[in-house]
Amino acid sequence: MLDQAKRWLDQARSVAVLTGAGISAESGIPTFRSAGGLWKQFRPEELATPQAFARDPLLVWEWYQWRRALISRAEPNAGHLALAALERRKEIFTLITQNVDGLHDRAGSKQILKIHGDIWTLRCTACPKEWRDLRPVFPALPPKCECGAMARPGVVWFGESLPARVWEEAERAAASAEVFLVAGTSAVVYPAAGLVPLAKSAGAKVIELNTEETPASAIADAALRGRSAEILPMLISSE
Ligand code: NAD
Ligand code: ZN
């Protein structure tokens, strides 16, 4: 199965990849669904929502600050690096990620569609301002905009819509790829998960990589089981 998948990937001129939290798990960043994803007994679904932020912005910011600190100590792993190497080899390549951690950027990937935003971006809750802030710990919480209003993390929360332009590009990439590789995502968070059937029905060979079976496994042409930091370098090696 791995050999067949590797051949499809080698031969394709255009490739699109969808990644999820699993690809950063081996960098020490917990996924939302793992036990390590629990923070002070809160489930991410109770914190990563506009309602939670409206109710208790300080609590939500404390969680984001904890995650930012964790991510700032993490390094991209061999899976992130393999995807950056694949991009350098392909004529047409798009990396679509649900991750907000910025590890794909740090691994050297260039064409990244961050459909769920970026934890290192902040946005004003009152004015249109949006900016980067790389400090893992803020001098005071919640952080503020220059205009004095409270800032929020520049990520897409459960129940919010995806950035329209970025999402359109993701759909276009999925619909035109010869090979669509899905790695480390539970494939249950929509609309992101819908990219898999979209790519498939547009004629792509779908390769899935996950430690467990997911809803994407059933429609994958090759469903590979294993850890992404181990399997991706094998799948993408040039010999
Ligand atoms: P998820 O937590 O729902 O699923 C993670 C998937 O990765 C699971 O299917 C699991 O079996 C698999 N997995 C775990 N370890 C793996 C490994 N070493 N190799 C391969 N697969 C492995 O994550 P999701 O599908 O990305 O969706 C959850 C949402 O949470 C996303 O919207 C994302 O924005 C957000 N999130 C982001 C981060 C991050 O940026 N690193 C971390 C947690 C959650
Ligand atoms: Zn402002």
Side-chain angles (χ1 to χ4, degrees), residues 123-129 131 144-150:
R123 230 166 42 220
C124 183
T125 54
C127 80
K129 202 167 181 285
W131 65 98
K144 294 213 166 89
C145 174
E146 291 174 344
C147 78
M150 188 164 53

Side-chain angles (χ1 to χ4, degrees), residues 19-26 29-34 44 67 71 97-103 116-117 119 156 158 183-189 192 208-214 226-229:
T19 64
I23 196 161
S24 293
E26 287 158 274
I29 301 169
T31 69
F32 275 2
R33 280 158 190 84
S34 67
R67 291 179 61 202
I71 293 166
T97 189
Q98 299 170 84
N99 294 351
V100 298
D101 56 32
L103 290 184
H116 290 167
I119 202 166
V156 177
F158 291 108
T185 172
S186 55
V188 294
V189 177
E208 190 213 25
L209 170 57
N210 199 297
T211 45
E212 291 168 23
E213 193 167 317
T214 76
R227 291 180 291 110
S228 50

Side-chain angles (χ1 to χ4, degrees), residues 7-16 86-94 176-180:
R7 257 194 310 280
W8 286 333
L9 209 48
D10 282 344
Q11 287 161 6
R13 203 172 65 92
S14 67
V15 173
L86 180 65
E87 174 171 8
R88 292 191 285 272
R89 288 219 301 274
K90 290 297 169 190
E91 215 168 305
I92 306 170
F93 182 90
T94 309
S176 61
E178 288 165 43
V179 168
F180 192 74

Side-chain angles (χ1 to χ4, degrees), residues 36-126:
L38 296 175
W39 175 78
K40 294 188 183 175
Q41 308 307 321
F42 289 101
R43 291 167 45 238
E45 292 84 345
E46 298 169 47
L47 296 164
T49 69
Q51 292 79 9
F53 190 67
R55 205 183 309 124
D56 195 345
L58 196 57
L59 175 74
V60 172
W61 262 119
E62 281 172 358
W63 181 53
Y64 275 94
Q65 173 154 281
W66 172 76
R67 291 179 61 202
R68 285 164 60 106
L70 192 87
I71 293 166
S72 72
R73 291 191 298 269
E75 295 293 335
N77 64 53
H80 297 105
L81 294 171
L83 291 176
L86 180 65
E87 174 171 8
R88 292 191 285 272
R89 288 219 301 274
K90 290 297 169 190
E91 215 168 305
I92 306 170
F93 182 90
T94 309
L95 177 57
I96 306 160
T97 189
Q98 299 170 84
N99 294 351
V100 298
D101 56 32
L103 290 184
H104 283 305
D105 309 72
R106 286 168 56 197
S109 287
K110 300 281 179 242
Q111 292 291 326
I112 313 175
L113 298 176
K114 297 178 187 170
I115 57 175
H116 290 167
D118 188 323
I119 202 166
W120 303 108
T121 298
L122 267 60
R123 230 166 42 220
C124 183
T125 54

